[in-house]
Amino acid sequence: MKTIHLIAAARPNFMKIAPLYHALKQTDWADPVIVHTGQHYDINMSDAFFTDFQLPDPHIHLGVGSGTHAQQTGRVMIAYEEILMNTPPDMVVVVGDVNSTAAATMAAVKLGIPTAHLEAGLRSFDRTMPEEINRLVTDALADLLWTPSPDGDENLLREGVAPEKVERVGNIMIDSLEMLRSRIEAEQLFMTLGLTAGEYGLITLHRPSNVDDRETLEKICGIIGNITERLPCVFPIHPRTRKNMETFGFMTRLEALPGLKILEPLSYIPFMSLVFHSRMLITDSGGVQEESTYLGIPCLTLRPNTERPVTVTEGTNQLCTPADLEANVNSILNGGRKTGQKPAMWDGKTAERVVASIRRYLS
Ligand code: UD1
């Protein structure tokens, strides 16, 4: 049996390891081991995803918690190195671009353990984003780089990565969605919230560039106020965003908006059920850009760039600034809806391709 560590740390990681865990579990040669670094620890940021995706409790928990970037990265490296030295796996799989992704990669590669990155090659070309640094470090070091789209391959080859390390496998997030589609469709959270299908917007915001600066966040809150006068919106608030809203004193104003429903962070199934029936999405998340493209729902991304350019060139995603967000919302409401197509290999079969790739690599 080959032991494969699957590193999961933060909310966007749990749905990425789930299809792979279940696919590896079905083989007679792989023993998938879930390593939770503890970067996200709240029930609705972590445990609820394990329940939704029918994952077992993490086999290994590093319990690193929150901290500065160096603290978080350092704590994961120290704790994970000890595990790797005592019980080295045959392969480590890291996903996405959070601090724990880069930290686990550095710890494993230095001990000579084969390390693979799922969702490799994405680049925003914006080094003020902590995730861009994590992507660069992870992709420079990992032995196997699984990309979701052709831009990923191109970025890696341009950076001098050996072509034999790169394999396009498609988008694992689509496997996650298809895996739970029937349960998502059965959930009707919008009704419980008193909303009508196709007549509400769904907002998610958590990027430091949008929510850590008082002036920017105040501007965004004002725009949300204007938008909700035309379109009722739901806003499940990320802990980072809520903390800043409260510190800056914006929460009361936001809660008083009649067209806005503020919720705690949601787990995958209820969140995706809101996505399925929404008129449009307003977000700065990476995953939501992909999910909206796959589902053909208009998405306005409040960022100057995206590491997922196919969602703009092929999908329904549009980049926005605080200055033009409201006009873009109005344009969609007036019928100016961007249409798109599903990118190649976003087909729910990515986990299968990854399992085949691991098997080839390890034999
Ligand atoms: C992290 C990832 C980001 C990802 C996001 C998804 C990095 C650099 N960033 O950002 O790429 O899109 O997760 O959510 O890895 N907190 C809680 N409960 C939790 C976790 C965090 O209250 O379970 C609060 C803490 O105050 C913490 C803050 O949120 O300091 C930020 O958490 P952190 O993990 O540092 O970054 P995210 O903003 O969640």
Side-chain angles (χ1 to χ4, degrees):
M1 284 296 255
K2 301 288 186 191
T3 305
I4 320 282
H5 278 189
L6 304 178
I7 310 294
R11 188 167 62 174
N13 296 159
F14 306 130
M15 63 280 253
K16 289 173 195 163
I17 63 153
L20 188 51
Y21 174 83
H22 291 296
L24 285 168
K25 201 71 194 157
Q26 274 175 17
T27 70
D28 57 4
W29 55 269
D31 180 21
V33 170
I34 298 177
V35 181
H36 191 326
T37 69
Q39 180 172 343
H40 282 177
Y41 41 82
D42 284 351
I43 289 176
N44 53 8
M45 295 294 282
S46 172
D47 304 28
F49 288 80
F50 281 76
T51 310
D52 279 359
F53 283 102
Q54 293 169 323
L55 289 170
D57 286 344
H59 304 90
I60 298 170
H61 205 297
L62 306 180
V64 301
S66 298
T68 64
H69 290 283
Q71 284 167 349
Q72 217 167 41
T73 309
R75 282 192 215 125
V76 173
M77 286 185 72
I78 294 165
Y80 190 43
E81 183 184 57
E82 198 178 325
I83 303 281
L84 290 172
M85 287 197 299
N86 292 334
T87 48
D90 294 287
M91 179 180 264
V92 172
V93 174
V94 297
V95 299
D97 54 17
V98 302
N99 286 339
S100 304
T101 308
T105 304
M106 282 192 278
V109 168
K110 285 196 169 187
L111 291 172
I113 299 168
T115 302
H117 183 204
L118 180 54
E119 204 180 81
L122 300 187
R123 295 291 180 270
S124 64
F125 304 102
D126 174 0
R127 291 197 182 190
T128 65
M129 281 182 82
E131 294 81 0
E132 184 74 352
I133 308 294
N134 294 334
R135 293 179 202 117
L136 287 162
V137 169
T138 305
D139 288 344
L141 299 178
D143 303 288
L144 251 179
L145 298 163
W146 293 311
T147 62
S149 44
D151 52 289
D153 304 30
E154 285 157 25
N155 291 334
L156 293 170
L157 298 178
R158 198 182 44 249
E159 286 168 17
V161 170
E164 58 274 18
K165 283 185 167 185
V166 181
E167 188 176 342
R168 180 134 29 100
V169 294
N171 191 331
I172 194 75
M173 295 277 281
I174 307 309
D175 290 42
S176 319
L177 192 158
E178 288 303 338
M179 198 179 132
L180 295 189
R181 182 185 277 275
S182 58
R183 288 172 62 204
I184 295 167
E185 284 172 349
E187 174 116 9
Q188 307 266 306
L189 179 56
F190 69 94
M191 280 192 197
T192 320
L193 294 172
L195 297 162
T196 308
E199 290 181 24
Y200 64 89
L202 178 57
I203 304 174
T204 81
L205 294 170
H206 74 281
R207 294 269 156 228
S209 56
N210 282 330
V211 306
D212 283 5
D213 174 62
R214 186 194 169 96
E215 227 175 280
T216 311
L217 192 58
E218 186 165 26
K219 206 181 286 173
I220 292 173
C221 288
I223 298 164
I224 291 175
N226 295 347
I227 292 170
T228 56
E229 282 175 19
R230 271 197 86 185
L231 179 74
C233 288
V234 193
F235 188 4
I237 291 203
H238 185 282
R240 172 190 283 275
T241 312
R242 177 181 283 277
K243 198 163 103 186
N244 292 336
M245 292 274 192
E246 283 166 358
T247 309
F248 301 145
F250 303 152
M251 207 59 208
T252 324
R253 203 188 318 164
L254 216 59
E255 278 164 349
L257 292 172
L260 185 67
K261 289 186 193 302
I262 297 176
L263 307 179
E264 288 301 309
L266 295 168
S267 63
Y268 186 80
I269 293 173
F271 179 75
M272 287 308 299
S273 84
L274 285 181
V275 170
F276 269 43
H277 299 285
S278 66
R279 174 85 186 258
M280 72 180 81
L281 296 145
I282 298 171
T283 194
D284 59 12
S285 143
V288 172
Q289 296 174 53
E290 298 177 331
E291 287 151 351
S292 53
T293 273
Y294 183 68
L295 296 169
I297 300 168
C299 180
L300 299 174
T301 298
L302 202 52
R303 283 181 46 187
N305 48 54
T306 177
E307 61 289 331
R308 292 160 162 92
V310 289
T311 61
V312 175
T313 54
E314 296 183 34
T316 51
N317 189 22
Q318 275 176 270
L319 300 182
C320 290
T321 63
D324 64 20
L325 176 62
E326 205 180 324
N328 279 307
V329 169
N330 287 331
S331 156
I332 295 172
L333 290 177
N334 295 336
R337 194 173 183 282
K338 184 171 185 258
T339 53
Q341 60 183 41
K342 291 177 190 172
M345 292 171 94
W346 291 26
D347 57 3
K349 297 197 168 106
T350 292
E352 249 174 60
R353 290 187 279 265
V354 169
V355 170
S357 175
I358 296 176
R359 178 135 218 209
R360 274 196 305 277
Y361 189 88
L362 291 180
S363 53

